[in-house]
Amino acid sequence: MMRMLVAYMVVALFMFPLYYWGTTAFKNAKEIFNTPPNVWTFSPTVRNFEEVFGISLGFFRQQEVLPGGGNFYMAPRLWDTIVVALGSTVLSIIVATLAAYGLSRMNFRGRHAFVGWVLSTRMMPPVAVAIPMFFIYKNVGLMDSYLGIILIHAVMNLPLAVLLLKSFFDDIPKDIDECALIDGATRWTIFRRIVLPMAKGGVAATAVLCFIFSWTEFIFVLTLTQTGLKTVPVVSSSFVTSTGTAWGNMAALGVAATAPAFLFILLVQKQLVRGLTLGSLKE
Amino acid sequence: MASVEYQGLVKNFGSIEVIRDLSLTVEEGEFVVLLGASGCGKTTLLRMTAGLEEISGGDLFIGGKRMNEVHPRDRNIAMVFQNYALYPTMKVFENIAFSLQISKVRASEVRRRVEEAAAILNLSEYLDRYPRELSGGQRQRVAMGRAMVRNAQVFLFDEPLSNLDAKLRAHMRVEIRQLHGRLGTTTIYVTHDQIEAMTMADKIVLMREGQIEQVGTPDDLFDSPRTRFAADFIGSPSMNFLEGSIEESDGHAYFRSPGLRLSVPDKMAENNSVTAGLRPTDLVIEDSGPLVGDVILSEKTGADVNLHVRTESGPIIVTVSKEMSVLAGDNIRLTINPEKLHLFDNPNGVSLRSN
């Protein structure tokens, strides 16, 4: 009984901010600032969403179409975020699976030092890298482009992705590779037809981590973009204006931005659970 | 089918020598068992044959062709691994067909050969299953099916039965042996289990510390072990060893040990430090026998009883039929036919009998 109570309390502790933030998106400005706050009772409105996405949800409420746009028009930003997160995840996974397989199975000079090198790239705080990156991007012409942001996110994700995938590959018995080798398979065939399908769960788990990282990354998008694209974490800060903070709009964007990430995780969830437990279950 | 020949083979892992100057010929169609304790280099030798380990020195010939640097896929061998190494994401059919598919054999031909192998191995109704849905014995058969469809020149088996329970292991021994009889493919089979070696091999290669201790038919190894190690390794329960000397008196040679004098063939020279080897099955209970001891334990194995006997010369085990009702605590006398007595020189352990 006590345990149940504690469990519920912990869940409540984590869920309440989400609930409060989610409901804020459906409150009008006055209700947001009520004291005491209207936690459970308020008159829901979709106005915040209409403003943020420049659309009219008139079928919810009889009202004229809002003039779409202004500072708060965020629909393209949501699209930017999706492109960047998917692009960098795909790129990370392609490079990381190949690198991880090599690290797991092949012998080459410096293989053991490799893990140290890979990790060392993550030891610096991103801010320390951001300024040099700004100048590099400016000169190379990657500034303010999808490719630039996808690249930097992939680069940031690679170390973790490679190490994670390497551990998944390490869990697959080498005998299987050797058996396939004798069966006449090339390394590439072994990778594509045998090892990769076996590590599906691990790949999914890694993809989720990469996706979430890119989805929430702030500092590089802030420094390496100007007007061409912006992702949700960065544009969220634009709701803080000289005339006040648009809490309702910010919450609306946040709620909308959760949906794609949620959807992505839902899609790979089946693989994910297996991936996270892979290795503990040896056949 | 092809012969396999090793000439002065050497394998080093860093500074550790695992195979030392090993030479051996496996004839075409022969079923050879590499037998030895773990760490004796038998699996390394098999992996070198397959091309999974580099050869540090010496030569390997398969079918008369030097294979040292040939890639595993070009050696035309098939290997069955200890853990089967089945591809878990493929069904049984695809597992067996994999090697044919990647070598671009026509689909109809693939189907024909897989179905043929499956029929031989009683796997026909399991072709649509995944390996995880099969029992241990079935997985073992899939692994063999994978080897069979290849028409390989040589089959390599790396302790294929060690993951099975005792009953299934005995059954699979027969199946593998029958399969060999049917296909006649040259086979090299690695095991640490001397019963497997004895029951399956045309020729046993007993290995010890990276070298060959003795090569011969199962009977050779059982009846005339060349060293004490070989004598100890083969046979269950193992041979009894008694320390003593060979002495001559009134024209006959005897093995002497505290409280014991056994006749040995007269041609034996005097020797003051030898080890006598007595197989538990060769010892006979006889009222006038020279070896006296107390039974401290009797172990039933079904048809036979293993008696653990304490003698003045040391503990020994005797295997007798269960009709001989001997109980723990009994005092018994034992004898052995001099022809069945094995004698080994100390300390090098080389047999003094014959050759």
Side-chain angles (χ1 to χ4, degrees):
Chain A
M1 188 60 210
M2 193 61 195
R3 266 187 291 182
M4 283 271 283
L5 210 69
V6 172
Y8 279 121
M9 269 171 64
V10 171
V11 171
L13 197 69
F14 281 93
M15 288 311 289
F16 183 73
L18 283 177
Y19 167 81
Y20 194 68
W21 166 69
T23 51
T24 300
F26 294 96
K27 289 177 185 173
N28 61 44
K30 200 172 135 248
E31 276 178 320
I32 292 172
F33 288 105
N34 260 2
T35 15
N38 296 17
V39 177
W40 312 111
T41 51
F42 56 92
S43 38
T45 165
V46 288
R47 192 184 177 84
N48 292 320
F49 288 91
E50 288 176 323
E51 281 170 3
V52 167
F53 294 103
I55 46 168
S56 171
L57 299 170
F59 48 90
F60 279 125
R61 178 169 56 85
Q62 293 302 319
Q63 204 204 318
E64 81 284 10
V65 177
L66 282 161
N71 283 335
F72 293 162
Y73 178 53
M74 293 301 174
R77 304 289 85 99
L78 204 56
W79 175 245
D80 289 347
T81 317
I82 293 173
V83 170
V84 165
L86 279 181
S88 71
T89 302
V90 169
L91 184 64
S92 301
I93 292 297
I94 290 174
V95 177
T97 45
L98 290 166
Y101 180 74
L103 280 172
S104 168
R105 292 299 202 267
M106 290 169 194
N107 268 312
F108 49 86
R109 264 174 82 106
R111 183 170 84 112
H112 297 290
F114 202 88
V115 173
W117 295 348
V118 162
L119 270 182
S120 71
T121 61
R122 285 306 294 269
M123 290 176 190
M124 245 182 303
V127 191
V129 190
I131 306 296
M133 272 303 176
F134 173 77
F135 287 106
I136 293 172
Y137 267 44
K138 231 179 124 163
N139 288 320
V140 177
L142 281 172
M143 204 62 188
D144 221 9
S145 66
Y146 282 125
L147 181 66
I149 299 302
I150 287 173
L151 274 178
I152 190 78
H153 280 181
V155 165
M156 292 305 286
N157 269 330
L158 271 177
L160 192 70
V162 169
L163 291 184
L164 207 60
L165 284 166
K166 178 181 178 295
S167 76
F168 285 118
F169 288 146
D170 285 346
D171 282 345
I172 297 172
K174 279 201 173 71
D175 285 359
I176 291 192
D177 291 50
E178 290 175 344
C179 188
L181 210 61
I182 293 174
D183 270 353
T186 58
R187 276 284 174 198
W188 174 248
T189 312
I190 295 172
F191 173 74
R192 196 176 54 83
R193 289 201 47 189
I194 294 163
V195 175
L196 205 55
M198 283 179 77
K200 220 163 38 180
V203 172
T206 312
V208 166
L209 290 179
C210 289
F211 187 87
I212 290 175
F213 168 83
S214 176
W215 193 255
T216 56
E217 202 280 329
F218 181 78
I219 201 96
F220 286 111
V221 179
L222 184 70
T223 48
L224 302 178
T225 61
Q226 280 151 348
T227 52
L229 77 150
K230 283 261 187 261
T231 61
V232 166
V234 173
V235 287
S236 295
S237 62
S238 68
F239 290 114
V240 184
T241 68
S242 54
T243 56
T245 302
W247 291 109
N249 299 100
M250 196 194 270
L253 179 63
V255 168
T258 314
F262 190 73
L263 209 69
F264 181 76
I265 292 169
L266 212 63
L267 280 175
V268 292
Q269 190 194 30
K270 210 177 121 212
Q271 311 295 343
L272 184 68
V273 178
R274 279 200 56 213
L276 294 177
T277 56
L278 198 83
S280 56
L281 301 164
K282 266 246 157 72
E283 261 207 73
Chain B
M1 264 195 283
S3 63
V4 179
E5 200 177 340
Y6 307 95
Q7 285 180 3
L9 213 65
V10 177
K11 175 68 190 177
N12 302 316
F13 286 118
S15 59
I16 304 160
E17 210 169 35
V18 265
I19 303 277
R20 286 184 252 176
D21 190 23
L22 184 144
S23 296
L24 174 72
T25 304
V26 178
E27 306 292 347
E28 250 182 70
E30 209 172 19
F31 196 111
V32 169
V33 173
L34 301 178
L35 176 66
S38 49
C40 73
K42 55 192 191 303
T43 294
T44 307
L45 184 62
L46 196 75
R47 290 173 56 84
M48 282 158 88
T49 316
L52 299 173
E53 295 287 353
E54 265 175 53
I55 295 171
S56 313
D59 292 311
L60 162 70
F61 295 90
I62 299 177
K65 274 183 254 154
R66 189 168 175 280
M67 289 285 174
N68 285 34
E69 284 87 28
V70 175
H71 192 275
R73 82 175 82 96
D74 301 321
R75 294 189 184 198
N76 197 12
I77 44 155
M79 184 157 166
V80 175
F81 289 79
Q82 183 171 0
N83 58 9
Y84 321 138
L86 301 180
Y87 312 130
T89 53
M90 299 183 195
K91 292 183 172 167
V92 170
F93 180 89
E94 292 157 318
N95 258 287
I96 299 177
F98 183 72
S99 65
L100 299 176
Q101 283 170 348
I102 54 179
S103 54
K104 307 256 181 332
V105 175
R106 262 185 308 117
S108 57
E109 173 70 6
V110 171
R111 176 149 289 279
R112 190 187 66 74
R113 270 154 78 173
V114 172
E115 276 168 1
E116 191 183 288
I120 293 174
L121 295 167
N122 288 325
L123 283 172
S124 300
E125 48 196 301
Y126 302 108
L127 288 176
D128 268 340
R129 295 214 191 161
Y130 284 102
R132 62 172 178 275
E133 299 163 340
L134 301 179
S135 69
Q138 288 163 345
R139 288 181 202 188
Q140 174 66 58
R141 285 204 286 264
V142 174
M144 291 199 300
R146 233 165 28 169
M148 273 167 62
V149 288
R150 302 259 319 274
N151 292 331
Q153 301 185 68
V154 182
F155 283 175
L156 306 175
F157 289 87
D158 185 9
E159 310 215 15
L161 305 184
S162 54
N163 290 351
L164 303 179
D165 61 63
K167 198 173 167 192
L168 195 53
R169 201 179 307 165
H171 176 71
M172 291 308 289
R173 281 205 308 254
V174 178
E175 282 200 10
I176 293 178
R177 207 39 245 228
Q178 280 175 341
L179 193 67
H180 178 258
R182 192 162 178 161
L183 304 173
T185 311
T186 312
T187 303
I188 304 179
Y189 184 107
V190 163
T191 182
H192 61 263
D193 181 350
Q194 54 103 9
I195 296 177
E196 259 171 50
M198 293 295 282
T199 50
M200 298 173 81
D202 291 328
K203 185 159 91 184
I204 295 178
V205 178
L206 181 64
M207 291 182 64
R208 179 193 190 185
E209 291 169 11
Q211 284 176 314
I212 293 176
E213 187 81 5
Q214 185 170 358
V215 180
T217 63
D219 285 344
D220 286 344
L221 266 83
F222 189 80
D223 296 333
S224 8
R226 279 225 301 272
T227 61
R228 186 185 153 156
F229 177 84
D232 193 23
F233 206 94
I234 308 278
S236 172
S238 335
M239 192 182 268
N240 300 295
F241 294 105
L242 302 175
E243 303 297 326
S245 57
I246 296 175
E247 284 166 17
E248 226 183 279
S249 78
D250 50 52
H252 295 291
Y254 295 97
F255 169 77
R256 270 193 175 282
S257 176
L260 174 68
R261 196 176 80 157
L262 287 172
S263 302
V264 300
D266 286 344
K267 53 186 190 279
M268 293 277 178
E270 286 203 14
N271 188 328
N272 58 17
S273 177
V274 297
T275 302
L278 306 88
R279 289 237 180 257
T281 44
D282 291 340
L283 285 159
V284 183
I285 297 180
E286 196 182 87
D287 291 341
S288 60
L291 189 53
V292 189
D294 296 318
V295 177
I296 51 175
L297 181 74
S298 93
E299 260 179 348
K300 292 186 177 63
T301 61
D304 294 327
V305 179
N306 293 329
L307 302 175
H308 294 249
V309 182
R310 187 164 44 211
T311 72
E312 217 173 312
S313 317
I316 59 169
I317 298 175
V318 186
T319 303
V320 296
S321 139
K322 73 170 174 198
E323 276 79 47
M324 312 270 296
S325 46
V326 184
L327 298 170
D330 289 357
N331 187 272
I332 55 169
R333 299 183 76 93
L334 299 158
T335 187
I336 188 166
N337 178 347
E339 292 304 319
K340 302 234 167 131
L341 187 67
H342 301 270
L343 289 162
F344 305 99
D345 196 11
N346 282 344
N348 61 14
V350 175
S351 176
L352 295 170
R353 240 172 53 162
S354 66
N355 41 63

